Amino acid sequence: MSRTDSAGLFQFDNSYARLPERFYQRIDPTPVAAPSLIRVNAPLARELGLDPSALTSPEAAAILAGNVVAPGSEPLAMAYAGHQFGNFVPQLGDGRAILIGEVIDIHGVRRDIHLKGAGRTRFSRRGDGRAALGPVLREYIVSEAMAALGIPTTRTLAAVATGEQVLREGLLPGAVLARVAAGHARVGTFEYFAARRDIEALRALADYAIARHYPACREAANPYRAFLDAVIAAQADLIAKWLLVGFIHGVMNTDNMTISGETIDFGPCAFMDFYNPRQVYSSIDARGRYAYANQPTIGHWNLVCLAETLVPLLAETEEAGIAEAEHAMAAFGPKFEAAYRLGLTRKLGLGAAEEDTALALELLRLMADNEADFTLSFRRLSEAALDPAKEAGVRSLFKDPAALEAWLPAWRGRLRDAEGMRAVNPAFIARNHLVEDALAAAVRDGDFGPFETLLEVLTRPFDDQPGREVYGLPPRPEQVVTRTFCGT
Ligand code: AMP
Ligand code: MG
């Protein structure tokens, strides 16, 4: 590992590294054979105060691959625990991701720069610490698609090919992803210290998270209660946003739920094509624990895990602490419902009266019965709202086009914001078949063209893109993807 004195790209200021040593392992990334930059996210680089052209230099590729530790970088792997599919694992941690440092972006927000696939750490267990190209590109596409949809998410600054192979179901090309997050603390980070009865660390972590993400909590009568309330509110809002674009996270383990309220960990995630509340794509979710419509329930479950860890901080006695935790948790359901219903009625240009919600829920029922494409139904309704002649385009998405006979006039009768609909109903989502095609071209043929084009389309999801209509269409029967894989 070489340390370079060349002018630093990143102006690091590392707050996590100032926390007690038991929060992490200090470890440098393991160099790779032949780093070569696949892509840099120029708009995100600018947001981070970086010159995108500086990021395309060989020196930058070496830093982003983990071959060079940049000046000011203090690489570390974070310790965390987590409930995986409901089972507690007291030690998980960054087994293949290394935080190389934090920067302050142009809005004054502190952002983590993480290298995913950067080599083994103390937390790697049997893993190789590496990432394969396919899952790296998948995370790049889906995280940036989410950001463009206006959904809180970790971002992707760059992808670098390693020139090495990783062993998965066979030998696959390796890559490193530079992930950017407002923070990487997870529900599982709190669980790590709670499982060790390390109250001092819990308090330090909570204070850290409050200062970084929810500074207003410091003024509250009970800052830790206010903090729990804030995380609950952020997650209720996030999960509502997922549902409103048909997103299925796929592995909502507590180690994959951030304190910041950002979507994290794009493993077997997927956007659904036709509307089916029970939809599951993940190959490892046989029982549908993380099915589309189960996500709010699981969000609640995960937040209960967080609330339990905070009990010692919430009050003087355990009994009072539990009461505080329960009161806080009671807000999750109503907050989620309110955010979801508001978003759903807005998607239909409706108001917030009970009749409006009933109308929206009725549409969902009809969509499920008729295997109507989720994204396209709402997008075409946005067009039909402005031009009734376009109702035929909506009907044609339903197995029985007559299913909407009563619904359409009822909706038109209550419609009040036709103009606003397009801005909340994307034309383009990261459809599974498009993602798979882009990944296959890159991994099999070394052709990054489809990846580049798809990314371009998905970063403007609300714009009509003439000539790119095919990216907005549901898969043909032979293109349907039924399973997605973690690829770790
Ligand atoms: P994930 O499924 O990505 O949320 O990861 C769950 C846990 O497995 C985390 O502690 C990861 O760091 C670890 N892990 C996943 N893949 C690897 C790998 N290839 N090498 C080492 N650790 C891994
Ligand atoms: Mg994870």
Side-chain angles (χ1 to χ4, degrees), residues 80 186 255-256 265:
Y80 55 84
R186 306 139 191 265
D255 52 303
N256 291 335
D265 220 313

Side-chain angles (χ1 to χ4, degrees), residues 108-258:
V109 178
R110 179 178 294 277
R111 312 278 287 267
D112 285 357
I113 313 289
H114 237 229
L115 300 184
K116 192 167 174 181
R120 292 181 52 86
T121 72
R122 187 209 290 163
F123 309 109
S124 298
R125 292 172 294 163
R126 279 185 293 278
D128 60 2
R130 294 302 187 190
L133 176 61
V136 162
L137 298 183
R138 192 178 164 75
E139 173 154 350
Y140 199 142
I141 293 168
V142 184
S143 64
E144 288 307 306
M146 293 292 270
L149 289 166
I151 298 175
T153 178
T154 66
R155 303 286 304 270
T156 300
L157 179 62
V160 183
T162 59
E164 293 177 359
Q165 293 191 307
V166 295
L167 184 63
R168 295 293 181 266
E169 57 272 25
L171 282 174
L172 296 168
V176 175
L177 178 106
R179 176 166 70 190
V180 177
H184 275 89
R186 306 139 191 265
V187 170
T189 319
F190 283 85
E191 290 180 292
Y192 179 87
F193 294 114
R196 287 160 181 75
R197 311 240 179 280
D198 188 345
I199 310 296
E200 199 188 314
L202 268 176
R203 192 181 302 275
L205 179 61
D207 290 342
Y208 177 86
I210 289 171
R212 185 161 178 183
H213 302 298
Y214 305 103
C217 295
R218 279 185 296 209
E219 317 314 325
N222 182 343
Y224 300 116
R225 168 64 196 274
F227 166 65
L228 178 57
D229 291 341
V231 179
I232 288 169
Q235 285 292 338
D237 192 58
L238 177 67
I239 295 170
K241 288 193 162 107
W242 289 355
L243 262 57
L244 293 167
V245 294
F247 179 75
I248 306 169
H249 181 285
V251 240
M252 285 179 73
N253 295 334
T254 55
D255 52 303
N256 291 335
M257 184 181 255
T258 58

Side-chain angles (χ1 to χ4, degrees), residues 22 32 39 75 160 170 187 223 269 291 327 355 380 470:
R22 61 192 187 283
V32 300
R39 193 174 201 280
V160 183
V187 170
C269 62
H327 280 139
E355 293 91 324
R380 290 196 182 165
V470 65

Side-chain angles (χ1 to χ4, degrees), residues 197-397:
R197 311 240 179 280
D198 188 345
I199 310 296
E200 199 188 314
L202 268 176
R203 192 181 302 275
L205 179 61
D207 290 342
Y208 177 86
I210 289 171
R212 185 161 178 183
H213 302 298
Y214 305 103
C217 295
R218 279 185 296 209
E219 317 314 325
N222 182 343
Y224 300 116
R225 168 64 196 274
F227 166 65
L228 178 57
D229 291 341
V231 179
I232 288 169
Q235 285 292 338
D237 192 58
L238 177 67
I239 295 170
K241 288 193 162 107
W242 289 355
L243 262 57
L244 293 167
V245 294
F247 179 75
I248 306 169
H249 181 285
V251 240
M252 285 179 73
N253 295 334
T254 55
D255 52 303
N256 291 335
M257 184 181 255
T258 58
I259 297 304
S260 66
E262 295 168 292
T263 311
I264 193 171
D265 220 313
F266 299 87
C269 62
F271 286 84
M272 63 182 172
D273 294 303
F274 69 79
Y275 179 69
N276 170 13
R278 286 181 302 281
Q279 185 68 52
V280 176
Y281 289 99
S282 169
S283 60
I284 55 169
D285 190 7
R287 296 201 200 158
R289 178 180 171 92
Y290 301 138
Y292 172 79
N294 226 18
Q295 296 183 112
T297 308
I298 292 294
H300 183 276
W301 196 95
N302 289 351
L303 290 164
V304 167
C305 293
L306 174 66
E308 281 175 352
T309 72
L310 294 176
V311 165
L313 306 183
L314 287 171
E316 290 294 320
T317 66
E318 185 175 19
E319 203 188 350
I322 290 172
E324 289 285 347
E326 283 173 350
H327 280 139
M329 282 310 306
F332 178 83
K335 273 193 194 306
F336 165 79
E337 277 303 322
Y340 176 70
R341 288 176 182 219
L342 185 70
L344 189 63
T345 46
R346 272 189 71 198
K347 278 171 85 70
L348 292 169
L350 298 172
E354 243 165 73
E355 293 91 324
D356 295 311
T357 303
L359 204 52
L361 296 177
E362 169 68 1
L363 175 68
L364 291 181
R365 196 181 62 74
L366 294 169
M367 285 168 64
D369 289 350
N370 286 276
E371 298 185 3
D373 186 78
F374 182 80
T375 304
L376 219 44
S377 292
F378 285 101
R379 183 71 177 186
R380 290 196 182 165
L381 278 167
S382 318
E383 285 152 16
L386 300 167
D387 175 5
K390 299 212 164 138
E391 282 185 5
V394 185
R395 279 201 207 90
S396 69
L397 297 169

